[in-house]
Amino acid sequence: MMQETDVLNTQEITFNDFKREVLNDYRIARVSRECSLLGRREVLTGKAKFGIFGDGKEIPQLAMAKAFKVGDFRSGYYRDQTFMMAIGELTAQQFFAGLYAHTDIKADPMSAGRQMGGHFATHSLHDNGNWKDLTKQYNSSSDISPTAGQMPRLLGLAQASKIYRNEKSVQNNTNFSINGNEVAWGTIGNASTSEGLFFETINAAGVLQVPMVMNVWDDEYGISVHAKHQTTKESISEILKGFQRDNEKNGYEIFVINGWDYVQLVDIYQKAAKIAREEHVPVLIHVKELTQPQGHSTSGSHERYKGKERLKWEKEHDCVTKMREWILDFELETETGDIFRFVDSEEDLLILEKEAKKEVTSAKRNAWNAYLNEIKSELSDAAEILDNTANKSKNGAFILKLKTDLLEISEPTRKDILSSTRKCLPYIKDEHFAEKIVLQNFIKSATENAYQKYSTHLTSETEFATIEVIEKKPIYSQEKNLVDARIIMRDNFDAILKKHNDVVIFGEDAGFIGDVNQGLEGLQEKYGDIRVSDTGIREATIIGQGIGLAMRGLRPIAEIQYLDYLLYALQIMSDDLATLRYRTFGKQKAPLIIRTRGHRLEGIWHAGSPMGGIINNVRGIHVLVPRNMTKAAGFYNTLLEGDDPALVIECLNGYRLKEELPTNLGDFRTPIGVIETIKQGTDITVVSYGSTLRIVEEVAKDLNQVGINIEIIDVQSLLPFDINHDCVKSLAKTNKLLIVDEDVPGGASAYLLQEIIEKQNGYQYLDSKPSTLTAKDHRTAYGTDGDYFSKPSAEDIFEKIYAIMHEENPQKFKSLY
Ligand SMILES: Cc1ncc(C[n+]2csc(CCOP(=O)(O)OP(=O)(O)O)c2C)c(N)n1
Ligand SMILES: [Mg+2]
């Protein structure tokens, strides 16, 4: 039997634990608040460029952190510093290092100074590019600035748990999941829920029934714009009520809570986590009555647009103030009449608050010193070199001025250092002395250092870099086995699904019917509806799904039904997928493969080949344009050996053409960044890709008839393009260049021209003007004639090449017109 005294002791211990936790939470909130207050000052005094902080949102984040477990993922936005601090993934010093853009990944683990402060991340990868054990750490996918841009990826992060729990083939991937118990936590501001991406994600997560907890931090504003202009009924939970699950239908669990109510928040977050984690049901938590004590960001002041009443209300409802009041008022009386309190008097809290302030002040100082020390040492080297150069130069007075101006800058940057030293070079261009070489070397090495800091990790630089994957040619059996090309796709995907347990393929019509062109025919039946699945019509979140799944160790192949509709997904590819590795300094990756089909068909929205638009937007993603299905299948095989994201565009009019079926399906590999010369020739180099290649090949025969022997190069890979610089070797032979594609004028053809003429120095070999032949500026009109008069035809190509030859030798090639 338990004695009465034991009960008391137990209670006492329990209460002490509780008290410790509450006071620790309050301390974190205070530290976070002090960071926001001091952070704003750092921006306003010019030490940092821009500040956007988490003040006014502290308390719900403490509750979220308590419910957040190792293995879980966050996909959130710039208000979440308190959460990151509460899970132990952000210190005050790191917070300031990010604000100052300290380029050392150890100082600013969020992005090595590449992102604005307030964009949070954890490290999923070791330095060598291998995955860490994500089930043993707290995970935050790296934030992006476009509002609601964090939503699509959240869907995939949540869906990964569902796949790991239900799909046997991946249950050995223990670095990523323990029985699918991980919850993906989204955070978003109230105003950003107006974005389509939010609604698309909400709907898709409800359909998929994934363990996602969506948190809306509602402060009634989006910068200066009030909720009445943002949200119907001014309430996101009100309008999403129809998503509430009931006894008959799946849906969401929806909670509404005030953001200053610590006790309720802790309770609700525990409930929400349990529902999502155990039942795999998505949850919406609408956290209302939050505030912005310092306004939206350092770019303006909220007194301009909030009335006195609102400002007063915000002061009273500041969640940290409210928690403080609660701590002071708290009294628990036991049955025996004992009274428990968190603090004896306000004095205790004042001490805690003072300590928090002191901690942040010194963290700020340390971060600034660490940041500045690196620059200072570079600065003193530069000053010394300028001094020595001045001593030797007849323009010494000008150079000394550069030096003194540099030393007078109160917060010097690398830009100042390089700018001063580079400005010195013209002063000494005609002089020769040893110090000049020292200066030149200083500039070279500073530039190389800057490259490492600001320009690396665009694509994988690890041993898994796709560009390093070795080519393997298709092997054919002795008897020629010609098949419809879509069979090659299908059988290769079959081989892929068999070989790679972690591959999942999904898209509109990709599951049950095996895609609109039957490239996945029968594979859902064979591998189950988790590995080959249908999705709703929602391109942006199909990509987001892929990004999230890839970030949790799966190898998704996300299908966008037609290239024309990729534009719906292009924003998320550009802002999120393409920048992920870069913006985390190589600490996160999403090797997502995007499969689509396009180029030549007929119709304004059924013929697009907007390659220039795409390649200009997705640097960081490989863009591959195979001319046939064997090449395409080989690309998928290559990509699965590497760890870069890629877009593969199959030729829509190629599925029914005959190709020979290789025997090494799933194994042969098309190399990335390598062109293929598909016809040798001597007179002109014609560079093309995708569906126009076949027309060029046809035309080559007609040109032969008139004595013109063209060399045809298949680009195959637009990003990266021709890493071995093979095109220029062809130009050295033919001295003439024509680029043919079906993009708009100045689209991908202009890019190819720049690569070949400028980067590969092709201009040196040219005897005539380098040319492009593209589609018209407008989109492709419908029907055979629409196509003929919109896109380059066989006759257009023939005449263009003939005209180039005519210009060179009018006698031999008489004018056609
Ligand atoms: C796509 C996009 N549009 C506009 C912006 C500029 N912007 C940044 S934050 C913001 C307001 C967001 O308000 P809300 O979602 O309520 O978040 P809060 O800052 O209030 O927490 C806007 C318009 C942006 N970053 N991205
Ligand atoms: Mg808001």
Side-chain angles (χ1 to χ4, degrees):
M1 275 276 289
M2 226 185 209
Q3 301 296 310
E4 232 178 73
T5 46
D6 288 334
V7 174
L8 203 77
N9 277 341
T10 318
Q11 278 186 350
E12 233 168 346
I13 289 162
T14 311
F15 182 76
N16 276 339
D17 284 347
F18 180 39
K19 171 175 154 179
R20 207 170 302 123
E21 197 167 332
V22 166
L23 291 179
N24 189 45
D25 274 352
Y26 182 66
R27 195 191 58 78
I28 295 169
R30 287 296 340 168
V31 165
S32 174
R33 177 61 61 90
E34 291 299 338
C35 283
S36 303
L37 298 174
L38 272 188
R40 185 175 174 89
R41 282 235 307 263
E42 292 303 272
V43 176
L44 299 184
T45 56
K47 276 155 88 183
K49 270 266 147 117
F50 177 72
I52 188 151
F53 306 115
D55 48 314
K57 316 279 189 297
E58 290 91 345
I59 307 306
Q61 294 180 27
L62 296 170
M64 175 167 139
K66 278 188 208 305
F68 195 87
K69 297 265 184 290
V70 286
D72 285 4
F73 259 89
R74 164 189 170 277
S75 184
Y77 80 119
Y78 49 78
R79 297 289 182 212
D80 292 347
Q81 72 202 42
T82 315
F83 170 79
M84 294 301 287
M85 288 173 177
I87 60 166
E89 291 297 327
L90 179 72
T91 65
Q93 187 167 334
Q94 289 165 346
F95 171 90
F96 285 101
L99 204 59
Y100 302 138
H102 194 158
T103 51
D104 183 344
I105 186 74
K106 292 201 181 72
D108 171 23
M110 305 298 129
S111 78
R114 288 180 176 189
Q115 288 232 65
M116 284 174 173
H119 290 65
F120 306 109
T122 51
H123 295 185
S124 301
L125 304 176
H126 293 289
D127 287 343
N128 63 7
N130 279 319
W131 287 107
K132 292 175 147 189
D133 186 342
L134 304 187
T135 66
K136 295 206 163 62
Q137 62 177 43
Y138 296 116
N139 301 290
S140 172
S141 59
S142 164
D143 296 354
I144 60 176
S145 299
T147 51
Q150 73 274 30
M151 294 288 106
R153 125 173 57 94
L154 173 65
L155 179 67
L157 291 170
Q159 196 202 4
S161 291
K162 179 127 187 169
I163 293 176
Y164 282 118
R165 186 175 288 178
N166 297 296
E167 174 57 48
K168 277 205 184 62
S169 72
V170 290
Q171 282 167 357
N172 290 333
N173 296 16
T174 50
N175 272 359
F176 304 104
S177 180
I178 297 172
N179 191 34
N181 290 337
E182 305 76 21
V183 173
W185 301 76
T187 70
I188 185 165
N190 58 298
S192 302
T193 65
S194 312
E195 294 278 9
L197 292 179
F198 171 80
F199 285 97
E200 194 175 309
T201 304
I202 284 281
N203 177 54
V207 169
L208 290 171
Q209 288 291 292
V210 290
M212 175 186 94
V213 179
M214 178 74 86
N215 304 276
V216 180
W217 305 148
D218 189 349
D219 57 13
E220 265 188 52
Y221 282 85
I223 311 186
S224 66
V225 182
H226 187 259
K228 66 178 179 231
H229 303 294
Q230 300 281 1
T231 311
T232 310
K233 299 185 177 180
E234 298 181 30
S235 167
I236 195 67
S237 52
E238 193 62 25
I239 58 171
L240 291 182
K241 268 184 180 160
F243 283 77
Q244 174 66 48
R245 66 174 171 167
D246 55 34
N247 291 338
E248 270 144 45
K249 294 258 167 70
N250 286 336
Y252 274 73
E253 201 53 57
I254 299 178
F255 295 102
V256 185
I257 170 84
N258 289 329
W260 44 261
D261 191 341
Y262 176 77
V263 177
Q264 291 291 327
L265 282 162
V266 170
D267 180 45
I268 280 186
Y269 271 84
Q270 295 299 323
K271 285 189 180 131
K274 192 170 154 60
I275 292 167
R277 206 178 298 285
E278 291 176 9
E279 299 177 50
H280 278 189
V281 166
V283 179
L284 170 78
I285 308 182
H286 180 189
V287 183
K288 302 208 295 196
E289 301 208 353
L290 289 169
T291 66
Q292 293 180 350
Q294 303 187 103
H296 175 75
S297 75
T298 51
S299 303
S301 83
H302 59 155
E303 287 80 8
R304 276 190 303 157
Y305 49 80
K306 285 179 189 161
K308 277 206 176 77
E309 273 298 298
R310 172 72 194 181
L311 289 167
K312 182 167 168 278
W313 182 91
E314 287 206 12
K315 227 181 168 75
E316 287 162 6
H317 289 80
D318 182 321
C319 58
V320 179
T321 311
K322 283 276 208 189
M323 183 176 181
R324 188 180 200 274
E325 285 165 12
W326 173 74
I327 291 174
L328 286 175
D329 292 347
F330 185 90
E331 266 186 17
L332 182 73
E333 192 172 345
T334 63
E335 280 173 13
T336 52
D338 290 323
I339 293 189
F340 291 115
R341 292 192 182 89
F342 294 130
V343 284
D344 296 332
S345 71
E346 191 175 359
E347 187 60 23
D348 291 357
L349 279 190
L350 289 170
I351 293 169
L352 184 153
E353 286 156 2
K354 215 164 146 191
E355 277 168 4
K357 196 171 189 150
K358 227 163 97 188
E359 180 187 328
V360 173
T361 310
S362 93
K364 183 202 76 164
R365 197 179 319 112
N366 293 343
W368 178 250
N369 289 339
Y371 162 78
L372 207 59
N373 281 345
E374 265 183 32
I375 297 201
K376 267 189 183 157
S377 97
E378 291 165 33
L379 182 81
S380 78
D381 289 351
E384 191 184 330
I385 291 169
L386 284 174
D387 225 12
N388 295 342
T389 312
N391 283 340
K392 289 288 165 68
S393 170
K394 58 182 182 338
N395 288 321
F398 297 105
I399 298 171
L400 276 183
K401 167 118 183 36
L402 283 176
K403 186 197 99 173
T404 35
D405 286 354
L406 176 63
L407 290 178
E408 269 169 20
I409 298 171
S410 57
E411 265 102 43
T413 59
R414 292 199 169 87
K415 175 186 169 196
D416 297 320
I417 296 169
L418 262 168
S419 163
S420 309
T421 46
R422 291 169 77 183
K423 278 190 176 129
C424 179
L425 289 177
Y427 289 127
I428 54 173
K429 66 182 174 19
D430 302 323
E431 299 180 299
H432 301 284
F433 43 80
E435 286 74 5
K436 177 174 175 177
I437 305 199
V438 177
L439 173 70
Q440 287 168 333
N441 287 342
F442 175 86
I443 293 169
K444 277 186 209 153
S445 106
T447 309
E448 169 53 23
N449 273 338
Y451 180 87
Q452 296 300 328
K453 289 182 198 311
Y454 300 105
S455 302
T456 50
H457 301 294
L458 180 58
T459 54
S460 176
E461 294 172 8
T462 71
E463 61 178 302
F464 312 109
T466 314
I467 208 160
E468 305 292 344
V469 177
I470 312 272
E471 177 178 11
K472 267 195 193 174
K473 300 240 189 266
I475 299 170
Y476 298 102
S477 58
Q478 293 219 306
E479 62 281 5
K480 219 171 162 71
N481 190 4
L482 279 180
V483 294
D484 278 357
R486 65 117 190 152
I487 301 287
I488 297 175
M489 284 322 291
R490 183 196 64 187
D491 291 359
N492 194 69
F493 278 126
D494 188 358
I496 281 175
L497 285 159
K498 196 180 300 167
K499 184 172 171 182
H500 302 273
N501 292 338
D502 44 8
V503 165
V504 288
I505 309 179
F506 50 89
E508 296 154 19
D509 302 290
F512 188 63
I513 64 162
D515 94 42
V516 282
N517 294 88
Q518 298 279 277
L520 297 165
E521 183 194 15
L523 298 182
Q524 183 178 73
E525 218 179 336
K526 190 163 174 185
Y527 295 96
D529 60 5
I530 296 178
R531 298 195 64 198
V532 183
S533 57
D534 283 318
T535 65
I537 306 175
R538 46 174 181 78
E539 286 75 14
T541 49
I542 288 174
I543 298 302
Q545 224 173 309
I547 298 172
L549 295 178
M551 292 180 83
R552 291 193 59 196
L554 293 163
R555 292 305 311 255
I557 300 178
E559 186 172 310
I560 298 295
Q561 197 158 64
Y562 298 107
L563 179 59
D564 301 78
Y565 311 129
L566 188 78
L567 298 192
Y568 277 63
L570 193 59
Q571 178 267 327
I572 218 66
M573 288 170 62
S574 180
D575 288 328
D576 196 3
L577 183 60
T579 64
L580 180 67
R581 197 183 276 274
Y582 174 80
R583 71 181 194 263
T584 59
F585 200 71
K587 298 300 179 197
Q588 291 187 6
K589 67 174 174 183
L592 164 64
I593 300 171
I594 302 165
R595 175 188 188 213
T596 189
R597 50 189 75 85
H599 309 312
R600 205 104 187 176
L601 258 196
E602 289 160 11
I604 293 180
W605 291 278
H606 298 85
S609 191
M611 298 315 304
I614 294 169
I615 58 177
N616 287 338
N617 274 297
V618 302
R619 303 296 160 104
I621 300 176
H622 294 327
V623 176
L624 309 170
V625 281
R627 69 177 180 277
N628 60 35
M629 298 307 148
T630 310
K631 290 281 172 189
F635 275 138
Y636 294 117
N637 298 338
T638 302
L639 291 167
L640 286 166
E641 299 299 319
D643 72 349
D644 284 297
L647 167 68
V648 182
I649 299 160
E650 296 163 18
C651 293
L652 193 39
N653 56 5
Y655 296 106
R656 306 276 158 201
L657 300 176
K658 297 289 180 203
E659 288 181 43
E660 207 178 339
L661 184 70
T663 55
N664 54 342
L665 290 160
D667 198 35
F668 63 91
R669 301 179 195 146
T670 316
I672 306 283
V674 179
I675 58 124
E676 186 181 343
T677 304
I678 55 177
K679 180 188 169 304
Q680 298 280 340
T682 48
D683 293 327
I684 179 169
T685 302
V686 181
V687 175
S688 189
Y689 60 89
S691 293
T692 45
L693 258 183
R694 231 175 351 259
I695 310 175
V696 174
E697 278 184 281
E698 270 169 49
V699 170
K701 294 176 202 142
D702 300 335
L703 287 163
N704 241 347
Q705 304 284 318
V706 296
I708 299 170
N709 181 11
I710 68 171
E711 178 142 311
I712 307 177
I713 289 178
D714 179 4
V715 167
Q716 302 198 97
S717 168
L718 280 167
L719 291 178
F721 171 69
D722 191 12
I723 49 181
N724 303 319
H725 288 195
D726 287 327
C727 284
V728 77
K729 293 169 199 155
S730 171
L731 287 202
K733 192 167 67 171
T734 65
N735 312 115
K736 285 181 237 30
L737 173 65
L738 173 68
I739 294 165
V740 182
D741 79 357
E742 51 184 306
D743 194 0
V744 292
S749 60
Y751 159 79
L752 291 169
L753 204 59
Q754 190 246 349
E755 286 277 323
I756 299 169
I757 299 302
E758 185 183 333
K759 203 157 155 193
Q760 302 189 9
N761 286 321
Y763 73 98
Q764 300 180 78
Y765 301 102
L766 290 181
D767 288 344
S768 64
K769 185 178 79 173
S771 301
T772 60
L773 180 62
T774 66
K776 298 252 167 62
D777 278 313
H778 55 76
R779 294 202 176 188
T780 311
Y782 172 61
T784 304
D785 286 346
D787 174 79
Y788 189 79
F789 293 107
S790 302
K791 287 197 168 180
S793 64
E795 290 72 34
D796 294 333
I797 297 170
F798 180 97
E799 289 176 11
K800 182 86 181 177
I801 293 171
Y802 189 89
I804 294 171
M805 298 306 291
H806 162 77
E807 192 193 52
E808 188 193 50
N809 190 346
Q811 287 309 313
K812 187 169 173 198
F813 303 106
K814 296 251 160 40
S815 177
L816 295 179
Y817 291 99

